[in-house]
Amino acid sequence: MPLIRAMYIHIPFCTHICHYCDFNKVFLKGQPVDQYLEALRKEIAIVFREHPPAALETVYIGGGTPTALSEKQLNRLMDIIHSFVDAGKLKEFTVEANPGDLTGEKLAILKAAGVNRLSIGAQSFNDSLLERIGRTHRAKDVYEAVEQARKRGFENINIDLMYALPGQTASDVLRSLDHLFRLDVPHCSAYSLIVEPKTVFYNLLRKGMLALPAEDEEADMYERIMEEMEKRGLHQYEISNFAKKGFESMHNRIYWDNENYYGFGAGAHSYIGDRRIANIGPVKKYIEKLEAGQLPVREEQRLSLRERVEEEMFLGLRKTEGVSVAKFEKKFGFSPFAWYGERIRRLEEENLLAFEGGKIRLTKKGKLLGNVVFSQFLVGG
């Protein structure tokens, strides 16, 4: 029986749809939210019967927008989680939040339920840019959300930022960082825009109507983010994540360590044993499956040894500390150099990787060219 330390719950409802978002989500109005929550309860019950949560340490509720739920629905979701999980024994209990949805009442519900970490989707502190990317909140809403959260005892707060947005400049990124540092939160995730299919931005890009920063401008933004975060005491512990000591995300660390986790909800993914499981995405089909007493599995893949090794490398290299050779050998029975020795040496020569202290890690140059490095550890890379 695999020890599973992390549990992800997906809430696919949003009060608006952002222009860049390709996550599994639907516009909230008219959706069967109460039936969805009941289906979620059934899914957890079925999976936990087969794989009991003996070692659960983290719960992460993402979306969509979990805080788009009404107070009554949010209470119901917390009750469902409590019926399966002792929240008092969790090391980390995170909920994603939209600044415009995070009311005092909802914060009180989350605090009472044992939530101890909030992840607030700011994306930018430039109001005109927020409008351009389809966000409905404004910079003042982020300040208010953080203030209200702190009044109710939340200190472990993450702010999500995005860069390389349409029409964005490096100076604009620095201004958003200034706002971030004024808030003095202990964690920030900074992601570059990736234009995905089935998004508003993708359609605009195909029509030649989306002006994005050039690659060298994007690289400059990322370098400045890394430099400014370090100056302010937020150390980079993963390619896109920065934290004060002791505030690193435990839940996401489990993903990057390539360990098992539960995933519940429409479109959610699980990793149990050597199986990766993807749930059905459409909300109504997800509900129908569970009302029929069936798990809502869309796809299940049993990973080969090669696939597990590949994932161990490209996920582990996302961490600033890199891949521990000793942990790799304990997990697989052989060294990463046995499979990738020539590639690792070549990447070292190109100053993309470094091997020191028993760990293989990205250099600063390697962080800027992360996807190039990761591809070298895939079949045909």
Side-chain angles (χ1 to χ4, degrees):
M1 183 74 69
L3 287 178
I4 305 175
R5 298 193 294 126
M7 172 171 143
Y8 173 79
I9 296 173
H10 190 70
I11 303 299
F13 308 111
C14 293
T15 53
H16 66 282
I17 306 299
C18 302
H19 297 344
Y20 54 83
C21 184
D22 74 325
F23 295 144
N24 189 52
K25 80 285 180 188
V26 291
F27 185 61
L28 177 66
K29 188 175 181 180
Q31 291 295 325
V33 179
D34 295 328
Q35 295 96 310
Y36 180 83
L37 294 176
E38 176 58 20
L40 193 61
R41 184 195 65 77
K42 291 178 180 178
E43 184 190 6
I44 297 171
I46 295 170
V47 173
F48 275 15
R49 280 198 295 270
E50 185 176 351
H51 301 287
L56 200 63
E57 295 179 1
T58 73
V59 170
Y60 191 108
I61 305 175
T65 312
T67 51
L69 300 181
S70 68
E71 283 88 354
K72 182 178 179 182
Q73 291 162 346
L74 197 58
N75 251 322
R76 173 62 178 146
L77 175 60
M78 294 299 121
D79 287 344
I80 289 169
I81 293 169
H82 286 177
S83 69
F84 296 102
V85 176
D86 184 348
K89 293 182 178 179
L90 294 173
K91 293 182 179 179
E92 185 180 270
F93 188 173
T94 303
V95 173
E96 289 183 350
N98 185 47
D101 300 326
L102 203 53
T103 64
E105 292 81 1
K106 291 178 183 179
L107 282 164
I109 291 167
L110 297 178
K111 189 65 177 177
V115 173
N116 58 19
R117 184 173 185 270
L118 297 174
S119 182
I120 299 174
Q123 316 313 351
S124 172
F125 286 86
N126 180 329
D127 285 350
S128 63
L129 190 54
L130 286 168
E131 185 174 358
R132 200 179 309 154
I133 66 177
R135 300 290 288 177
T136 57
H137 78 271
R138 295 298 176 256
K140 65 178 178 59
D141 298 318
V142 182
Y143 277 88
E144 184 176 342
V146 172
E147 181 184 357
Q148 291 299 317
R150 283 185 170 140
K151 282 182 179 178
R152 285 160 180 81
F154 289 100
E155 289 299 329
N156 193 352
I157 299 171
N158 169 64
I159 295 288
D160 276 350
L161 291 179
M162 297 181 72
Y163 63 97
L165 296 169
Q168 192 176 34
T169 62
S171 60
D172 179 78
V173 172
L174 291 175
R175 281 193 292 272
S176 278
L177 289 176
D178 284 341
H179 284 283
L180 172 78
F181 299 139
R182 272 182 240 164
L183 287 168
D184 193 29
V185 293
H187 194 287
C188 177
S189 301
Y191 302 105
S192 65
L193 172 68
I194 298 174
V195 179
E196 301 283 5
K198 299 180 181 178
T199 63
V200 172
F201 277 172
Y202 182 77
N203 293 332
L204 291 174
L205 187 66
R206 289 184 63 190
K207 295 174 183 176
M209 298 171 63
L210 192 68
L212 297 174
E215 284 186 13
D216 59 338
E217 292 177 301
E218 180 180 342
D220 179 52
M221 291 176 189
Y222 183 44
E223 284 193 89
R224 290 183 180 222
I225 289 168
M226 289 191 285
E227 290 166 3
E228 293 301 315
M229 292 288 190
E230 190 64 33
K231 286 180 190 175
R232 299 301 187 109
L234 292 166
H235 75 100
Q236 185 176 24
Y237 69 101
E238 191 267 349
I239 279 184
S240 301
N241 285 272
F242 306 82
K244 295 180 181 179
K245 293 292 184 182
F247 287 92
E248 300 85 353
S249 171
M250 297 178 187
H251 184 88
N252 288 333
R253 176 64 186 251
I254 289 169
Y255 294 156
W256 302 320
D257 284 343
N258 200 24
E259 295 184 20
N260 284 182
Y261 54 87
Y262 301 104
F264 298 111
H269 291 72
S270 300
Y271 183 28
I272 300 176
D274 60 356
R275 294 178 301 140
R276 288 207 178 273
I277 304 157
N279 276 357
I280 292 168
V283 169
K284 290 181 180 178
K285 290 185 178 180
Y286 169 84
I287 294 171
E288 287 168 3
K289 276 285 188 181
L290 284 153
E291 285 180 342
Q294 302 171 5
L295 283 174
V297 175
R298 174 179 60 82
E299 181 181 9
E300 182 174 326
Q301 177 189 10
R302 190 173 296 276
L303 300 181
S304 66
L305 174 61
R306 175 172 290 281
E307 288 168 328
R308 287 187 286 127
V309 167
E310 289 174 353
E311 291 190 356
E312 191 79 13
M313 291 301 295
F314 70 72
L315 287 170
L317 284 172
R318 292 189 62 90
K319 299 177 294 182
T320 301
E321 68 183 53
V323 175
S324 165
V325 172
K327 287 183 179 179
F328 187 102
E329 289 176 341
K330 183 178 180 181
K331 197 168 189 176
F332 296 105
F334 55 85
S335 164
F337 291 99
W339 278 27
Y340 297 116
E342 183 180 340
R343 296 185 192 195
I344 293 171
R345 283 189 290 272
R346 186 176 72 248
L347 291 166
E348 281 185 289
E349 290 171 0
E350 295 172 5
N351 193 30
L352 296 170
L353 283 184
F355 175 54
E356 53 191 23
K359 294 179 179 178
I360 304 165
R361 62 169 180 80
L362 294 176
T363 61
K364 182 178 180 180
K365 180 182 176 183
K367 290 175 184 175
L368 294 170
L369 298 170
N371 289 334
V372 174
V373 179
F374 302 152
S375 69
Q376 296 303 304
F377 296 96
L378 303 175
V379 173

